[in-house]
Amino acid sequence: MIALLGRAASFNDRTALISQGDGYTYRRLLKTSKNVAANLLDGAADLGEARIPFLIPPSFGYAAVQWGIWAAGGIAVPLCVLHPLPSIQYVLEDTQADRVIVHSDYIDFLMPLEQEMGITITSLESVLDENTHALPDIAPERRAMILYTSGTTNKPKGVVSTHANIEAQITTLVKAWEWGPKDHILNILPLHHVHGIINVMGCALWSGACCEFLPKFDAGAVWKTIESGRLTLFMAVPTIYFKLVSFWENLSQNEQKSLSGAASKLRLMVSGSAALPVTVLEKWRDISGQTLLERYGMTEIGMGLSNPYWGERRPGHVGFPLPGVEMRLVNGENDPVGENETGEIQVKGPSVFKEYWQMETATQKAFTKDGWFITGDIAVLNKGYYKILGRDSVDIIKSGGYKISALEIEDILRRHEVVEDCAVVGLPDEEWGEVVSACIVSEKEGIDTARVSNWLREQLPAYKIPRNYIVRRSLPRNVLGKVTKNELKKMFSEP
Ligand code: MCA
Ligand code: AMP
């Protein structure tokens, strides 16, 4: 049996999840996930790594379906409830799935795809129905999950992790951050990315702890939950801490005192997925007395670097390699560099993903000949602590903790009738990390960029929509004709 499910059996009547105010025990989660597995198998012995996408908001149903797919030998492909139809269609086509499990709130939304693609829409309710079936033995090396990540290609890539990868990603964090059955965490993150899936829900369920869901981030609701005193842990992206600080700053002194007192009692608060501005770390320390633990990770590797649970958490730094993670910094010739020298992060270890889904060349290019995964992140080792300096590509933007490909947005923007050419960049921003910004090339006068934005919203999720536009007759280019994006960034502040 898959280790995560095997462990659940020993946690029996402990509360595994709180979803829409209702508590669900480990016993119930395990039983329901077995129902899901039996319904999916429908008489077959093993799903044999069939890709099973599911569109379910963070909830008990999400967890039961994820586990059910794994128990039946399928590959779990979580879809994002915030994505428009074309983004979902892309994943369904790329994974060549023949069915998708859908929460009742989203069935009408997906229905057009049933006719267009011939995919079967299976309701969440129907897979939860009571059922039993012999479950297959799943070897740890088998594929377990595909998560889509944006990169230096214009289409997102499917990152395939095995059961062994997932177990390694979870266990290194459980050990480093001392998770235990008494822990209680609030999940406010989307469940189609590693941060929510592995660091929050995965670690909680591995440990016999409780994971409580808020269906969507809301600063007031998060503070209210912190105030209740039931949380021991909290994990979020820097934008969320920024929003929690803003909310707190607008409260009366009495309210501030009460929330600060409650926040100071958690045993650990973690920030990651994007650089944590030192100003936010300091404000949060003033408000809560907590020094945020900043760590570094990537969809392809899980978590790689972490400030210590015990010991100095150094602002502006991401600590050192987690247990089981091998890490090196290399120069342009792939030779390791010394302390205080800038280099690219490369990673090895059991948590590193298996492959990009059906992209052999991209997979090969992502690894060195001797098996190091090339992250594209630039860092320096400074007095024993790693510091992330940036990325080797200007085409990758981090906004609100989401990784966004400028090329993907440009590709779609170019299809708009008023756009002759375009270039997309991320402009620095304290709240969002970077803000997606687009330069449209057009000879026409008076381009209505709000209309362009509305058109884009039909094709891309909200976090990929440019928030700033400029319209120019041409783009800045170097002698080779390549757009000089660092020059372009400056043009957004020109009058
Ligand atoms: C939303 N808005 C934005 C952005 N996103 N504006 C600028 N830039 C953005 N990126 C706008 C919306 O369009 C809307 O404005 C308004 O903000 C509120 O939108 P809403 O969707 O309600 O925003 P939110 O709920 O406040 O979202 C903020 C968020 C969210 C909660 C921080 O971005 C989020 O969940 N981020 C986490 C992503 C994550 O889990 N990443 C982990 C990747 P209007 O009404 O005008 O449209 S995994 C990873 O990176 C690795 C493995 C790692 O290390 O963890
Ligand atoms: P994703 O593809 O969504 O998994 O995003 C992974 C990327 O997020 C990494 O390659 C880094 O560029 C960035 N990242 C994650 N954590 C941090 C951090 N603490 N500081 C700076 N960048 C980070």
Side-chain angles (χ1 to χ4, degrees), residues 149-150 193 271-276 294-300 318 375 377 388 391 398 401-403:
T149 188
S150 296
H193 282 307
S271 173
S273 301
L276 174 66
E294 185 174 6
R295 59 36 173 206
Y296 157 88
M298 199 170 176
T299 307
E300 287 88 334
V318 287
T375 64
D377 287 309
I388 309 291
R391 291 195 58 88
K398 264 269 160 170
Y402 284 111
K403 190 173 174 189

Side-chain angles (χ1 to χ4, degrees), residues 223 246-253 255-256 259:
W223 270 119
S246 305
F247 185 93
W248 182 94
E249 282 172 341
N250 287 318
L251 298 174
S252 69
Q253 274 190 357
E255 288 168 319
Q256 287 181 344
L259 296 188

Side-chain angles (χ1 to χ4, degrees), residues 82-93:
L82 302 173
H83 282 188
L85 213 47
S87 307
I88 289 180
Q89 183 166 0
Y90 170 72
V91 173
L92 299 182
E93 281 170 357

Side-chain angles (χ1 to χ4, degrees), residues 438-449:
C439 177
I440 291 175
V441 176
S442 180
E443 292 291 329
K444 293 200 181 91
E445 296 291 331
I447 301 266
D448 184 350
T449 54

Side-chain angles (χ1 to χ4, degrees), residues 160-200:
V160 180
S161 303
T162 63
H163 291 282
N165 295 149
I166 291 172
E167 185 174 330
Q169 292 178 6
I170 291 175
T171 51
T172 192
L173 293 184
V174 167
K175 189 169 171 198
W177 298 343
E178 303 192 1
W179 276 88
K182 292 204 177 116
D183 278 318
H184 189 128
I185 193 163
L186 182 68
N187 181 69
I188 31 98
L189 294 167
L191 285 185
H192 65 298
H193 282 307
V194 161
H195 199 160
I197 298 173
I198 301 290
N199 298 23
V200 179

